[in-house]
């Protein structure tokens, strides 16, 4: 009876520790995703007089710059602090959004998108590393999948609400849309600075009881140590999934518009898609226990291929239905894969290694924007979407050897357990 009571008390203590970590992160997720321009910014760029190719180039530049900046910003986050990196990144993004509201010259937009890409890189990897290692500090990493799914849900649902509001605010002016987004990012920074403690890579390692501290002098050596074939394949396949999902969500705005949907309907559909993408991650914990990431990965890829194929029919309501029904499933996969990546890398270089992974994803996303933009320019928005379905199908083929061989990504947790057992 006593042991049962102690176990319950221990579980309650872990839950309390997790809540103390996650509350400010949940508030941050809401504020950082209150981006009113997200669902209609493509239409904003078209109204500025930019072509589909120019918009695709801006998005490609955004993600390529973000990818290239991932490596140095990840190292900086591990050295000076992960919270500091997030703050720098969000403030830089806020400044670039204000610049986009004030200028219309394409060359200025190129510079602003470069700055925004650097800001995205500062945030990417740092936010997940900060959350995960604060949970390590409190001994609450067992609930990470559930916590990350809620974090994702809050951010995505907030994005959906913000998109609906943004479609209405646009009736006043585009300036209100962009200034409002920048203000919310500033508030997100205030929450981080006041409620979330700073943590560096060395701090995270020192707080893992019994963890072996490897003598890796650089993140590159740490990456080589953990880079199993299954992990490398997962990084590439995950990157191709994001390289499909992200351009698909953004260019669906253009596809719906070409198929006859108005600006208000487009904003509502995109917002509903964010709602669907935000709620489905709540199923991640159950999917992880019952199915596992190895099976859910190809399911998500096939789902994306079907969605793109249906968009190619040129029927606006079919495109809307496919978007709303299918867009949420890859978000479950993203949560599960994120957990695998966090477990696979050591704490000392967590932000750096996650940034390297994000570099691959960003490079593929940027390339995806360029390819899909070219396809839509050359073949039309509907046929271009359908043709792009080849990308998730290719990713699915790359994953099949891992699926059928039963290979697993070895995590740091499993390695320590094996070492203790031996």
């Amino acid at each position: 009876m006593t042991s049962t009571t102690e176990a319950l008390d221990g579980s309650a203590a872990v839950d309390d520790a997790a809540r103390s970590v996650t509350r400010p992160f949940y508030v941050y997720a809401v504020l950082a995703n209150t981006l009113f321009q997200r669902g209609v910014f493509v239409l904003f760029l078209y109204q500025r007089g930019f072509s589909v190719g120019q918009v695709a180039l801006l998005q490609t530049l955004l993600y390529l710059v973000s990818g290239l900046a991932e490596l140095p910003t990840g190292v900086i986050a591990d050295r000076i602090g992960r919270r500091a990196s997030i703050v720098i990144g969000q403030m830089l993004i806020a400044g670039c959004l204000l610049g986009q509201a004030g200028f219309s010259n394409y060359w200025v937009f190129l510079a602003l998108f470069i700055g925004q890409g650097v800001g995205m890189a500062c945030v990417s990897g740092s936010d997940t590393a900060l959350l995960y290692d604060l949970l390590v500090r409190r001994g609450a990493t067992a609930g990470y999948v559930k916590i990350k799914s809620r974090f994702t849900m809050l951010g995505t649902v907030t994005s959906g609400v913000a998109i609906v509001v943004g479609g209405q605010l646009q009736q006043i002016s585009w300036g209100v849309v962009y200034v409002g987004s920048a203000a919310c990012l500033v508030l997100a920074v205030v929450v981080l600075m006041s409620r979330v403690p700073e943590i560096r890579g060395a701090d995270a390692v020192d707080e893992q009881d019994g963890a072996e501290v490897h003598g890796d002098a650089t993140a590159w050596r740490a990456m080589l140590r953990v880079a199993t074939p299954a992990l490398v394949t997962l990084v590439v396949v995950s990157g191709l999934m994001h390289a499909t999902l992200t351009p698909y969500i953004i260019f669906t705005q253009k596809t719906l518009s070409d198929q006859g949907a108005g600006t208000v309907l487009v904003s509502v559909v995109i917002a509903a898609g964010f709602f669907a993408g935000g709620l489905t991650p709540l199923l991640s914990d159950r999917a992880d226990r019952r199915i596992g990431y190895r099976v859910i990965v190809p399911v998500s890829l096939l789902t994306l291929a079907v969605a793109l194929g249906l968009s190619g029919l040129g029927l606006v309501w079919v495109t809307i239905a496919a978007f709303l029904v299918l867009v949420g499933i890859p978000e479950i996969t993203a949560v599960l894969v994120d957990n695998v990546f966090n477990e696979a890398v050591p704490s000392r270089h967590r932000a750096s290694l996650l940034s390297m992974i994000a570099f691959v994803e960003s490079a593929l996303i940027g390339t995806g924007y360029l390819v899909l933009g070219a396809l839509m320019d050359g073949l039309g928005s509907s046929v271009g979407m359908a043709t792009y379905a080849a990308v998730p199908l290719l990713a699915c083929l790359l994953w099949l050897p891992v699926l059928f061989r039963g290979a697993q990504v070895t995590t740091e947790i499993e390695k320590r357990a094996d070492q203790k057992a031996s």
Side-chain angles (χ1 to χ4, degrees), residues 148-179:
K148 182 62 189 297
S149 65
R150 291 173 180 172
F151 182 81
T152 303
M153 180 273 295
L154 285 172
T156 311
V157 170
T158 300
S159 293
V161 175
I163 287 170
V164 173
V165 175
Q168 302 304 315
L169 291 177
Q170 188 273 329
Q171 305 300 317
I172 301 173
S173 74
W174 284 109
V176 173
V177 173
Y178 278 81
V179 171

PDB file of all heavy atoms in Angstrom, residues 148-179:
ATOM      1  N   LYS A 148       3.964  18.033 -26.367  1.00  0.00           N
ATOM      2  CA  LYS A 148       4.230  18.628 -27.675  1.00  0.00           C
ATOM      3  C   LYS A 148       2.964  18.654 -28.534  1.00  0.00           C
ATOM      4  O   LYS A 148       2.745  19.599 -29.300  1.00  0.00           O
ATOM      5  CB  LYS A 148       5.331  17.842 -28.395  1.00  0.00           C
ATOM      6  CG  LYS A 148       5.712  18.417 -29.768  1.00  0.00           C
ATOM      7  CD  LYS A 148       6.263  19.837 -29.623  1.00  0.00           C
ATOM      8  CE  LYS A 148       6.439  20.507 -30.986  1.00  0.00           C
ATOM      9  NZ  LYS A 148       7.421  19.834 -31.837  1.00  0.00           N
ATOM     10  N   SER A 149       2.124  17.641 -28.408  1.00  0.00           N
ATOM     11  CA  SER A 149       0.880  17.640 -29.186  1.00  0.00           C
ATOM     12  C   SER A 149      -0.024  18.784 -28.754  1.00  0.00           C
ATOM     13  O   SER A 149      -0.660  19.431 -29.586  1.00  0.00           O
ATOM     14  CB  SER A 149       0.169  16.294 -29.038  1.00  0.00           C
ATOM     15  OG  SER A 149      -0.260  16.078 -27.712  1.00  0.00           O
ATOM     16  N   ARG A 150      -0.086  19.056 -27.446  1.00  0.00           N
ATOM     17  CA  ARG A 150      -0.887  20.185 -26.963  1.00  0.00           C
ATOM     18  C   ARG A 150      -0.277  21.506 -27.399  1.00  0.00           C
ATOM     19  O   ARG A 150      -0.994  22.440 -27.778  1.00  0.00           O
ATOM     20  CB  ARG A 150      -0.999  20.137 -25.441  1.00  0.00           C
ATOM     21  CG  ARG A 150      -1.844  18.969 -24.922  1.00  0.00           C
ATOM     22  CD  ARG A 150      -1.783  18.884 -23.421  1.00  0.00           C
ATOM     23  NE  ARG A 150      -2.589  17.775 -22.912  1.00  0.00           N
ATOM     24  CZ  ARG A 150      -2.591  17.379 -21.644  1.00  0.00           C
ATOM     25  NH1 ARG A 150      -1.811  17.994 -20.752  1.00  0.00           N
ATOM     26  NH2 ARG A 150      -3.359  16.365 -21.272  1.00  0.00           N
ATOM     27  N   PHE A 151       1.050  21.598 -27.325  1.00  0.00           N
ATOM     28  CA  PHE A 151       1.761  22.799 -27.774  1.00  0.00           C
ATOM     29  C   PHE A 151       1.469  23.064 -29.246  1.00  0.00           C
ATOM     30  O   PHE A 151       1.172  24.194 -29.652  1.00  0.00           O
ATOM     31  CB  PHE A 151       3.267  22.590 -27.541  1.00  0.00           C
ATOM     32  CG  PHE A 151       4.128  23.760 -27.917  1.00  0.00           C
ATOM     33  CD1 PHE A 151       4.279  24.832 -27.065  1.00  0.00           C
ATOM     34  CD2 PHE A 151       4.807  23.778 -29.128  1.00  0.00           C
ATOM     35  CE1 PHE A 151       5.090  25.906 -27.398  1.00  0.00           C
ATOM     36  CE2 PHE A 151       5.618  24.834 -29.479  1.00  0.00           C
ATOM     37  CZ  PHE A 151       5.756  25.910 -28.611  1.00  0.00           C
ATOM     38  N   THR A 152       1.542  22.002 -30.055  1.00  0.00           N
ATOM     39  CA  THR A 152       1.239  22.128 -31.483  1.00  0.00           C
ATOM     40  C   THR A 152      -0.212  22.486 -31.713  1.00  0.00           C
ATOM     41  O   THR A 152      -0.545  23.332 -32.554  1.00  0.00           O
ATOM     42  CB  THR A 152       1.568  20.813 -32.207  1.00  0.00           C
ATOM     43  OG1 THR A 152       2.947  20.484 -31.993  1.00  0.00           O
ATOM     44  CG2 THR A 152       1.304  20.922 -33.697  1.00  0.00           C
ATOM     45  N   MET A 153      -1.104  21.853 -30.959  1.00  0.00           N
ATOM     46  CA  MET A 153      -2.534  22.122 -31.103  1.00  0.00           C
ATOM     47  C   MET A 153      -2.846  23.580 -30.811  1.00  0.00           C
ATOM     48  O   MET A 153      -3.540  24.248 -31.577  1.00  0.00           O
ATOM     49  CB  MET A 153      -3.331  21.214 -30.167  1.00  0.00           C
ATOM     50  CG  MET A 153      -4.851  21.411 -30.232  1.00  0.00           C
ATOM     51  SD  MET A 153      -5.478  22.714 -29.127  1.00  0.00           S
ATOM     52  CE  MET A 153      -5.103  22.013 -27.522  1.00  0.00           C
ATOM     53  N   LEU A 154      -2.314  24.106 -29.711  1.00  0.00           N
ATOM     54  CA  LEU A 154      -2.584  25.496 -29.355  1.00  0.00           C
ATOM     55  C   LEU A 154      -2.060  26.449 -30.424  1.00  0.00           C
ATOM     56  O   LEU A 154      -2.746  27.398 -30.820  1.00  0.00           O
ATOM     57  CB  LEU A 154      -1.938  25.817 -28.006  1.00  0.00           C
ATOM     58  CG  LEU A 154      -2.634  25.253 -26.769  1.00  0.00           C
ATOM     59  CD1 LEU A 154      -1.777  25.480 -25.534  1.00  0.00           C
ATOM     60  CD2 LEU A 154      -4.001  25.903 -26.596  1.00  0.00           C
ATOM     61  N   GLY A 155      -0.838  26.177 -30.899  1.00  0.00           N
ATOM     62  CA  GLY A 155      -0.272  27.040 -31.919  1.00  0.00           C
ATOM     63  C   GLY A 155      -1.044  26.997 -33.223  1.00  0.00           C
ATOM     64  O   GLY A 155      -1.302  28.026 -33.848  1.00  0.00           O
ATOM     65  N   THR A 156      -1.445  25.793 -33.630  1.00  0.00           N
ATOM     66  CA  THR A 156      -2.126  25.649 -34.911  1.00  0.00           C
ATOM     67  C   THR A 156      -3.553  26.177 -34.860  1.00  0.00           C
ATOM     68  O   THR A 156      -4.008  26.845 -35.798  1.00  0.00           O
ATOM     69  CB  THR A 156      -2.132  24.171 -35.348  1.00  0.00           C
ATOM     70  OG1 THR A 156      -0.816  23.639 -35.226  1.00  0.00           O
ATOM     71  CG2 THR A 156      -2.576  24.034 -36.786  1.00  0.00           C
ATOM     72  N   VAL A 157      -4.268  25.882 -33.773  1.00  0.00           N
ATOM     73  CA  VAL A 157      -5.626  26.405 -33.636  1.00  0.00           C
ATOM     74  C   VAL A 157      -5.604  27.928 -33.556  1.00  0.00           C
ATOM     75  O   VAL A 157      -6.444  28.618 -34.152  1.00  0.00           O
ATOM     76  CB  VAL A 157      -6.324  25.796 -32.411  1.00  0.00           C
ATOM     77  CG1 VAL A 157      -7.638  26.524 -32.112  1.00  0.00           C
ATOM     78  CG2 VAL A 157      -6.590  24.318 -32.633  1.00  0.00           C
ATOM     79  N   THR A 158      -4.629  28.453 -32.832  1.00  0.00           N
ATOM     80  CA  THR A 158      -4.484  29.917 -32.770  1.00  0.00           C
ATOM     81  C   THR A 158      -4.222  30.481 -34.159  1.00  0.00           C
ATOM     82  O   THR A 158      -4.763  31.543 -34.519  1.00  0.00           O
ATOM     83  CB  THR A 158      -3.331  30.291 -31.827  1.00  0.00           C
ATOM     84  OG1 THR A 158      -3.611  29.797 -30.520  1.00  0.00           O
ATOM     85  CG2 THR A 158      -3.165  31.806 -31.763  1.00  0.00           C
ATOM     86  N   SER A 159      -3.405  29.800 -34.944  1.00  0.00           N
ATOM     87  CA  SER A 159      -3.160  30.243 -36.317  1.00  0.00           C
ATOM     88  C   SER A 159      -4.458  30.288 -37.107  1.00  0.00           C
ATOM     89  O   SER A 159      -4.687  31.223 -37.889  1.00  0.00           O
ATOM     90  CB  SER A 159      -2.168  29.299 -37.003  1.00  0.00           C
ATOM     91  OG  SER A 159      -0.891  29.387 -36.422  1.00  0.00           O
ATOM     92  N   GLY A 160      -5.301  29.264 -36.913  1.00  0.00           N
ATOM     93  CA  GLY A 160      -6.582  29.245 -37.610  1.00  0.00           C
ATOM     94  C   GLY A 160      -7.460  30.431 -37.241  1.00  0.00           C
ATOM     95  O   GLY A 160      -8.049  31.077 -38.111  1.00  0.00           O
ATOM     96  N   VAL A 161      -7.541  30.711 -35.942  1.00  0.00           N
ATOM     97  CA  VAL A 161      -8.326  31.866 -35.499  1.00  0.00           C
ATOM     98  C   VAL A 161      -7.735  33.154 -36.062  1.00  0.00           C
ATOM     99  O   VAL A 161      -8.458  34.042 -36.549  1.00  0.00           O
ATOM    100  CB  VAL A 161      -8.374  31.919 -33.961  1.00  0.00           C
ATOM    101  CG1 VAL A 161      -9.074  33.192 -33.486  1.00  0.00           C
ATOM    102  CG2 VAL A 161      -9.079  30.691 -33.400  1.00  0.00           C
ATOM    103  N   ALA A 162      -6.407  33.267 -35.995  1.00  0.00           N
ATOM    104  CA  ALA A 162      -5.742  34.471 -36.483  1.00  0.00           C
ATOM    105  C   ALA A 162      -5.964  34.673 -37.980  1.00  0.00           C
ATOM    106  O   ALA A 162      -6.100  35.810 -38.452  1.00  0.00           O
ATOM    107  CB  ALA A 162      -4.244  34.403 -36.180  1.00  0.00           C
ATOM    108  N   ILE A 163      -6.029  33.577 -38.736  1.00  0.00           N
ATOM    109  CA  ILE A 163      -6.250  33.681 -40.176  1.00  0.00           C
ATOM    110  C   ILE A 163      -7.650  34.221 -40.466  1.00  0.00           C
ATOM    111  O   ILE A 163      -7.838  35.079 -41.333  1.00  0.00           O
ATOM    112  CB  ILE A 163      -6.032  32.312 -40.848  1.00  0.00           C
ATOM    113  CG1 ILE A 163      -4.534  31.982 -40.872  1.00  0.00           C
ATOM    114  CG2 ILE A 163      -6.589  32.294 -42.266  1.00  0.00           C
ATOM    115  CD1 ILE A 163      -4.233  30.566 -41.280  1.00  0.00           C
ATOM    116  N   VAL A 164      -8.645  33.718 -39.717  1.00  0.00           N
ATOM    117  CA  VAL A 164     -10.008  34.221 -39.897  1.00  0.00           C
ATOM    118  C   VAL A 164     -10.066  35.708 -39.566  1.00  0.00           C
ATOM    119  O   VAL A 164     -10.629  36.518 -40.316  1.00  0.00           O
ATOM    120  CB  VAL A 164     -11.000  33.438 -39.018  1.00  0.00           C
ATOM    121  CG1 VAL A 164     -12.382  34.080 -39.074  1.00  0.00           C
ATOM    122  CG2 VAL A 164     -11.087  31.989 -39.464  1.00  0.00           C
ATOM    123  N   VAL A 165      -9.450  36.062 -38.439  1.00  0.00           N
ATOM    124  CA  VAL A 165      -9.421  37.479 -38.042  1.00  0.00           C
ATOM    125  C   VAL A 165      -8.652  38.295 -39.062  1.00  0.00           C
ATOM    126  O   VAL A 165      -9.038  39.420 -39.416  1.00  0.00           O
ATOM    127  CB  VAL A 165      -8.800  37.625 -36.640  1.00  0.00           C
ATOM    128  CG1 VAL A 165      -8.660  39.097 -36.262  1.00  0.00           C
ATOM    129  CG2 VAL A 165      -9.657  36.899 -35.610  1.00  0.00           C
ATOM    130  N   GLY A 166      -7.541  37.720 -39.571  1.00  0.00           N
ATOM    131  CA  GLY A 166      -6.746  38.442 -40.560  1.00  0.00           C
ATOM    132  C   GLY A 166      -7.511  38.731 -41.827  1.00  0.00           C
ATOM    133  O   GLY A 166      -7.360  39.799 -42.436  1.00  0.00           O
ATOM    134  N   GLY A 167      -8.363  37.775 -42.243  1.00  0.00           N
ATOM    135  CA  GLY A 167      -9.181  38.016 -43.428  1.00  0.00           C
ATOM    136  C   GLY A 167     -10.134  39.186 -43.235  1.00  0.00           C
ATOM    137  O   GLY A 167     -10.434  39.916 -44.187  1.00  0.00           O
ATOM    138  N   GLN A 168     -10.597  39.368 -41.989  1.00  0.00           N
ATOM    139  CA  GLN A 168     -11.480  40.502 -41.694  1.00  0.00           C
ATOM    140  C   GLN A 168     -10.684  41.799 -41.536  1.00  0.00           C
ATOM    141  O   GLN A 168     -11.110  42.861 -41.990  1.00  0.00           O
ATOM    142  CB  GLN A 168     -12.282  40.213 -40.419  1.00  0.00           C
ATOM    143  CG  GLN A 168     -13.129  38.943 -40.492  1.00  0.00           C
ATOM    144  CD  GLN A 168     -14.083  38.937 -41.668  1.00  0.00           C
ATOM    145  OE1 GLN A 168     -14.764  39.937 -41.938  1.00  0.00           O
ATOM    146  NE2 GLN A 168     -14.133  37.805 -42.381  1.00  0.00           N
ATOM    147  N   LEU A 169      -9.528  41.707 -40.864  1.00  0.00           N
ATOM    148  CA  LEU A 169      -8.698  42.903 -40.681  1.00  0.00           C
ATOM    149  C   LEU A 169      -8.206  43.457 -42.011  1.00  0.00           C
ATOM    150  O   LEU A 169      -7.985  44.666 -42.147  1.00  0.00           O
ATOM    151  CB  LEU A 169      -7.493  42.569 -39.783  1.00  0.00           C
ATOM    152  CG  LEU A 169      -7.782  42.274 -38.310  1.00  0.00           C
ATOM    153  CD1 LEU A 169      -6.487  41.896 -37.595  1.00  0.00           C
ATOM    154  CD2 LEU A 169      -8.433  43.477 -37.639  1.00  0.00           C
ATOM    155  N   GLN A 170      -8.048  42.566 -42.997  1.00  0.00           N
ATOM    156  CA  GLN A 170      -7.593  43.023 -44.305  1.00  0.00           C
ATOM    157  C   GLN A 170      -8.586  43.990 -44.930  1.00  0.00           C
ATOM    158  O   GLN A 170      -8.202  44.839 -45.749  1.00  0.00           O
ATOM    159  CB  GLN A 170      -7.375  41.801 -45.210  1.00  0.00           C
ATOM    160  CG  GLN A 170      -6.728  42.111 -46.545  1.00  0.00           C
ATOM    161  CD  GLN A 170      -7.743  42.509 -47.620  1.00  0.00           C
ATOM    162  OE1 GLN A 170      -8.883  42.031 -47.593  1.00  0.00           O
ATOM    163  NE2 GLN A 170      -7.330  43.363 -48.537  1.00  0.00           N
ATOM    164  N   GLN A 171      -9.855  43.886 -44.526  1.00  0.00           N
ATOM    165  CA  GLN A 171     -10.847  44.818 -45.049  1.00  0.00           C
ATOM    166  C   GLN A 171     -10.553  46.241 -44.593  1.00  0.00           C
ATOM    167  O   GLN A 171     -10.971  47.215 -45.233  1.00  0.00           O
ATOM    168  CB  GLN A 171     -12.262  44.394 -44.586  1.00  0.00           C
ATOM    169  CG  GLN A 171     -12.632  42.953 -44.932  1.00  0.00           C
ATOM    170  CD  GLN A 171     -12.603  42.676 -46.422  1.00  0.00           C
ATOM    171  OE1 GLN A 171     -13.069  43.474 -47.237  1.00  0.00           O
ATOM    172  NE2 GLN A 171     -12.041  41.522 -46.790  1.00  0.00           N
ATOM    173  N   ILE A 172      -9.853  46.361 -43.444  1.00  0.00           N
ATOM    174  CA  ILE A 172      -9.447  47.693 -42.967  1.00  0.00           C
ATOM    175  C   ILE A 172      -8.202  48.138 -43.718  1.00  0.00           C
ATOM    176  O   ILE A 172      -8.202  49.164 -44.396  1.00  0.00           O
ATOM    177  CB  ILE A 172      -9.176  47.654 -41.449  1.00  0.00           C
ATOM    178  CG1 ILE A 172     -10.422  47.192 -40.688  1.00  0.00           C
ATOM    179  CG2 ILE A 172      -8.716  49.019 -40.942  1.00  0.00           C
ATOM    180  CD1 ILE A 172     -10.199  46.967 -39.215  1.00  0.00           C
ATOM    181  N   SER A 173      -7.141  47.365 -43.597  1.00  0.00           N
ATOM    182  CA  SER A 173      -5.900  47.624 -44.346  1.00  0.00           C
ATOM    183  C   SER A 173      -4.923  46.488 -44.101  1.00  0.00           C
ATOM    184  O   SER A 173      -4.989  45.802 -43.073  1.00  0.00           O
ATOM    185  CB  SER A 173      -5.254  48.949 -43.916  1.00  0.00           C
ATOM    186  OG  SER A 173      -4.645  48.825 -42.649  1.00  0.00           O
ATOM    187  N   TRP A 174      -4.013  46.298 -45.037  1.00  0.00           N
ATOM    188  CA  TRP A 174      -2.966  45.310 -44.862  1.00  0.00           C
ATOM    189  C   TRP A 174      -2.028  45.715 -43.732  1.00  0.00           C
ATOM    190  O   TRP A 174      -1.447  44.859 -43.060  1.00  0.00           O
ATOM    191  CB  TRP A 174      -2.176  45.137 -46.152  1.00  0.00           C
ATOM    192  CG  TRP A 174      -2.890  44.333 -47.202  1.00  0.00           C
ATOM    193  CD1 TRP A 174      -3.422  44.794 -48.373  1.00  0.00           C
ATOM    194  CD2 TRP A 174      -3.151  42.929 -47.182  1.00  0.00           C
ATOM    195  NE1 TRP A 174      -3.997  43.764 -49.082  1.00  0.00           N
ATOM    196  CE2 TRP A 174      -3.841  42.598 -48.374  1.00  0.00           C
ATOM    197  CE3 TRP A 174      -2.865  41.907 -46.278  1.00  0.00           C
ATOM    198  CZ2 TRP A 174      -4.248  41.309 -48.677  1.00  0.00           C
ATOM    199  CZ3 TRP A 174      -3.270  40.616 -46.577  1.00  0.00           C
ATOM    200  CH2 TRP A 174      -3.954  40.329 -47.759  1.00  0.00           C
ATOM    201  N   GLY A 175      -1.880  47.018 -43.510  1.00  0.00           N
ATOM    202  CA  GLY A 175      -1.016  47.492 -42.432  1.00  0.00           C
ATOM    203  C   GLY A 175      -1.469  46.998 -41.072  1.00  0.00           C
ATOM    204  O   GLY A 175      -0.651  46.590 -40.235  1.00  0.00           O
ATOM    205  N   VAL A 176      -2.767  46.992 -40.828  1.00  0.00           N
ATOM    206  CA  VAL A 176      -3.304  46.513 -39.559  1.00  0.00           C
ATOM    207  C   VAL A 176      -2.983  45.036 -39.380  1.00  0.00           C
ATOM    208  O   VAL A 176      -2.636  44.582 -38.278  1.00  0.00           O
ATOM    209  CB  VAL A 176      -4.830  46.749 -39.502  1.00  0.00           C
ATOM    210  CG1 VAL A 176      -5.424  46.097 -38.263  1.00  0.00           C
ATOM    211  CG2 VAL A 176      -5.145  48.237 -39.518  1.00  0.00           C
ATOM    212  N   VAL A 177      -3.087  44.274 -40.457  1.00  0.00           N
ATOM    213  CA  VAL A 177      -2.800  42.836 -40.405  1.00  0.00           C
ATOM    214  C   VAL A 177      -1.358  42.585 -39.975  1.00  0.00           C
ATOM    215  O   VAL A 177      -1.082  41.801 -39.055  1.00  0.00           O
ATOM    216  CB  VAL A 177      -3.068  42.180 -41.776  1.00  0.00           C
ATOM    217  CG1 VAL A 177      -2.602  40.728 -41.787  1.00  0.00           C
ATOM    218  CG2 VAL A 177      -4.550  42.268 -42.124  1.00  0.00           C
ATOM    219  N   TYR A 178      -0.417  43.273 -40.607  1.00  0.00           N
ATOM    220  CA  TYR A 178       0.992  43.019 -40.354  1.00  0.00           C
ATOM    221  C   TYR A 178       1.470  43.619 -39.036  1.00  0.00           C
ATOM    222  O   TYR A 178       2.272  43.010 -38.316  1.00  0.00           O
ATOM    223  CB  TYR A 178       1.831  43.525 -41.533  1.00  0.00           C
ATOM    224  CG  TYR A 178       1.882  42.535 -42.674  1.00  0.00           C
ATOM    225  CD1 TYR A 178       0.841  42.435 -43.589  1.00  0.00           C
ATOM    226  CD2 TYR A 178       2.961  41.673 -42.832  1.00  0.00           C
ATOM    227  CE1 TYR A 178       0.874  41.512 -44.629  1.00  0.00           C
ATOM    228  CE2 TYR A 178       3.006  40.749 -43.866  1.00  0.00           C
ATOM    229  CZ  TYR A 178       1.960  40.672 -44.758  1.00  0.00           C
ATOM    230  OH  TYR A 178       2.000  39.748 -45.775  1.00  0.00           O
ATOM    231  N   VAL A 179       0.990  44.803 -38.687  1.00  0.00           N
ATOM    232  CA  VAL A 179       1.370  45.419 -37.413  1.00  0.00           C
ATOM    233  C   VAL A 179       0.828  44.591 -36.251  1.00  0.00           C
ATOM    234  O   VAL A 179       1.508  44.391 -35.240  1.00  0.00           O
ATOM    235  CB  VAL A 179       0.857  46.874 -37.337  1.00  0.00           C
ATOM    236  CG1 VAL A 179       1.059  47.447 -35.937  1.00  0.00           C
ATOM    237  CG2 VAL A 179       1.592  47.742 -38.354  1.00  0.00           C
TER     238      VAL A 179
END
